[in-house]
Amino acid sequence: MSSILSSILPAPEDPVLSLIFGFRDDPSPVKLNLGAGAYRTEEGKPLVLDVVRRAEQHLANDLSKNKEYPPFSGLPDFNILSAKLILGDDSLALKEKRVVTVQCLSGTGSLRVGAEFLAKHNQQLTVFLPIPTWENHLSIFTMAGLSVNHFRYYDPKSRGLDFKGLLEDLGSAPSGAIVVLQACGHNPTGVDPTLEQWEHIRQIVRSKGLLPFFDSAYQGFASGSLDLDAQAVRMFVADGGECLIAQSYSKNLGLYGERIGALNIVCESENVARIVESQVILVVRPMYLCPPIHGASIVTTILKDSDMYKDWTIELKGMADRIISMRQQLYEAIKARGTPGDWSHIVKHIGMFTFTGLNEEQVRFIAKEYHIYMTYDGRISMASLSSNTVPQLADAIHAAVTRISY
Ligand code: PLA
């Protein structure tokens, strides 16, 4: 009998996986993984928020809850509360009922459902991604059938925003094209536009008739404030124009494995929203019928209860502040070693990640000699560092920079 499966070629080597395997197979007791974008405590452990434990206990004790299928678009309360969280309680778009919200499999699932929807219904099938961006964006949009283009975002020289390049590239994008913008805590660079720069971006996006698709994976995790981190999104929604927003609760509620998030589509009228919702459901149903209920129930319990909500904001700020203090500690430690170069970008960057500026050779050297693992583009997760591991990383960076030239 001829085999179909045995003739399949292996997938190309994934740099992220080779990093994970490298870490896994390293026998060193001091090995440190800064490649994964997941929060760790000062003790290097994964964190389940207290408020999440409380919500889960509350759900377990509530015998009125059952395990029926939810609607295709997810739990209605979850959707309303999620839309309010990103758009603000007083959002005009919400009052005018022109926002469609669909519970999805976290940020990735929300992006994919949005991409499939746009591939089916948007006239212009080109999507513009920042250079660089979260690497999965490319596959998500390509696999949905959209054609991917890029716009300049990061300037390696200044280790900041290439604002001029960004405006030039968006200024020459074709009308109707989709533009992916990260709402805050840009992955992998840690570089966000200022509010003033966002306003310029908004003007160019609107004047060129582009469709903004926000990826909001880090709301509250960047600045420590849910409202501040939503400012860019709210600025676009306030002008009355259309946009899409993929929301994730992986980082801000630490619900990584629950796969809980939402896709919001802001339309120009209630009537359009109703039609859009009917079509989004046609994307969802053949893929996975309806989303899972547990993560959505946890989020709903917390967002509904003012005490739990308040406790969440405190725990969230605690995580964001710890990350910010890791930036300061790492910067001071590198400075104290007299490492050549300007390292102030470490404190200027925001969110979970920093683009260190280390090249691939330096990254490999650090893994081999110091047992510290990061992605080959030199990205480190600040959320995986602790006061104990900062000196180890500062030593490694110092050695890499002084022994291997840029
Ligand atoms: N959007 C951005 C910008 C992200 O960085 C990530 C996760 C997601 C969406 C998707 O996360 P979610 O589906 O859990 O909501 N990026 C991680 C994870 C943290 C990964 O790629 O494995 C990262 O390390 O880049």
Side-chain angles (χ1 to χ4, degrees):
M1 222 195 306
S2 72
S3 162
I4 294 170
L5 301 183
S6 64
S7 61
I8 297 173
L9 297 172
E13 204 194 330
D14 180 336
V16 174
L17 285 183
S18 72
L19 182 92
I20 293 170
F21 294 148
F23 175 77
R24 190 195 59 189
D25 299 339
D26 185 338
S28 167
V30 297
K31 66 181 175 180
L32 177 61
N33 185 0
L34 301 180
Y39 185 84
R40 295 287 177 266
T41 61
E42 265 291 296
E43 293 72 42
K45 298 269 184 304
L47 178 69
V48 179
L49 301 191
D50 278 344
V51 73
V52 167
R53 295 259 190 238
R54 266 162 59 208
E56 285 188 311
Q57 261 150 22
H58 179 88
L59 289 167
N61 293 336
D62 183 350
L63 299 181
S64 72
K65 290 263 184 269
N66 58 45
K67 301 288 183 190
E68 292 291 285
Y69 287 131
F72 303 127
S73 56
L75 297 182
D77 281 356
F78 167 85
N79 287 336
I80 293 165
L81 292 161
S82 294
K84 279 194 178 161
L85 188 72
I86 185 69
L87 302 181
D89 282 340
D90 53 356
S91 159
L92 191 63
L94 282 176
K95 283 192 190 123
E96 292 174 351
K97 298 189 170 51
R98 32 186 195 89
V99 183
V100 177
T101 307
V102 180
Q103 180 197 327
C104 292
L105 300 180
S106 208
T108 308
S110 307
L111 287 163
R112 184 64 192 266
V113 169
E116 295 282 344
F117 169 79
L118 291 171
K120 231 170 135 190
H121 299 287
N122 204 37
Q123 301 278 320
Q124 173 55 259
L125 294 180
T126 309
V127 55
F128 280 76
L129 304 178
I131 310 173
T133 193
W134 179 42
E135 48 158 45
N136 209 18
H137 280 152
L138 180 65
S139 315
I140 291 171
F141 289 98
T142 308
M143 290 187 81
L146 293 163
S147 90
V148 171
N149 218 317
H150 299 276
F151 64 92
R152 280 169 282 173
Y153 187 86
Y154 178 73
D155 175 12
K157 270 203 219 87
S158 67
R159 292 178 185 166
L161 188 69
D162 181 355
F163 189 48
K164 193 168 156 278
L166 180 152
L167 292 183
E168 270 171 26
D169 291 350
L170 292 189
S172 53
S175 162
I178 302 145
V179 183
V180 172
L181 298 164
Q182 294 192 31
C184 68
H186 184 273
N187 177 13
T189 66
V191 174
D192 284 349
T194 62
L195 277 187
E196 209 178 306
Q197 288 169 333
W198 272 121
E199 175 52 23
H200 283 284
I201 298 170
R202 189 192 66 75
Q203 283 171 16
I204 203 133
V205 163
R206 292 310 190 201
S207 70
K208 295 290 301 180
L210 308 175
L211 180 61
F213 193 163
F214 280 97
D215 180 356
S216 177
Y218 299 97
Q219 189 186 355
F221 213 76
S223 69
S225 153
L226 288 157
D227 288 323
L228 283 182
D229 287 352
Q231 274 178 306
V233 170
R234 291 179 191 173
M235 189 185 271
F236 277 71
V237 175
D239 70 14
E242 297 170 331
C243 73
L244 284 80
I245 309 143
Q247 251 177 303
S248 166
Y249 290 103
S250 290
K251 321 295 170 348
N252 57 15
L253 264 168
L255 290 176
Y256 307 89
E258 294 293 351
R259 313 307 299 136
I260 180 64
L263 171 69
N264 300 273
I265 307 180
V266 181
C267 307
E268 62 174 36
S269 70
E270 186 181 354
N271 200 26
V272 174
R274 229 180 275 125
I275 296 166
V276 164
E277 178 157 31
S278 69
Q279 287 292 350
V280 179
I281 285 167
L282 292 191
V283 172
V284 164
R285 203 176 165 203
M287 271 207 279
Y288 52 84
L289 189 66
C290 58
I293 55 177
H294 188 64
S297 305
I298 296 171
V299 175
T300 308
T301 305
I302 295 167
L303 295 185
K304 246 187 188 168
D305 180 299
S306 57
D307 286 340
M308 282 201 207
Y309 179 85
K310 190 158 162 277
D311 291 348
W312 172 38
T313 60
I314 294 167
E315 284 191 82
L316 178 56
K317 177 133 182 20
M319 289 193 285
D321 284 351
R322 202 188 76 74
I323 295 171
I324 291 165
S325 105
M326 285 305 114
R327 292 187 178 283
Q328 198 60 42
Q329 287 184 31
L330 180 61
Y331 174 61
E332 300 292 341
I334 293 175
K335 233 173 46 179
R337 282 158 180 75
T339 309
D342 176 5
W343 295 89
S344 59
H345 58 283
I346 292 178
V347 277
K348 284 184 203 145
H349 289 170
I350 182 151
M352 194 170 221
F353 301 109
T354 276
F355 237 20
T356 54
L358 296 168
N359 62 31
E360 185 169 336
E361 203 187 336
Q362 292 168 329
V363 169
R364 288 187 190 275
F365 166 85
I366 287 177
K368 187 157 170 273
E369 302 294 330
Y370 287 84
H371 312 284
I372 301 173
Y373 294 79
M374 61 188 84
T375 47
Y376 296 119
D377 55 7
R379 182 193 87 168
I380 52 174
S381 167
M382 300 306 297
S384 305
L385 265 183
S386 69
S387 306
N388 288 334
T389 53
V390 161
Q392 185 190 348
L393 178 60
D395 287 343
I397 290 178
H398 183 79
V401 169
T402 46
R403 285 194 223 163
I404 301 165
S405 60
Y406 279 95

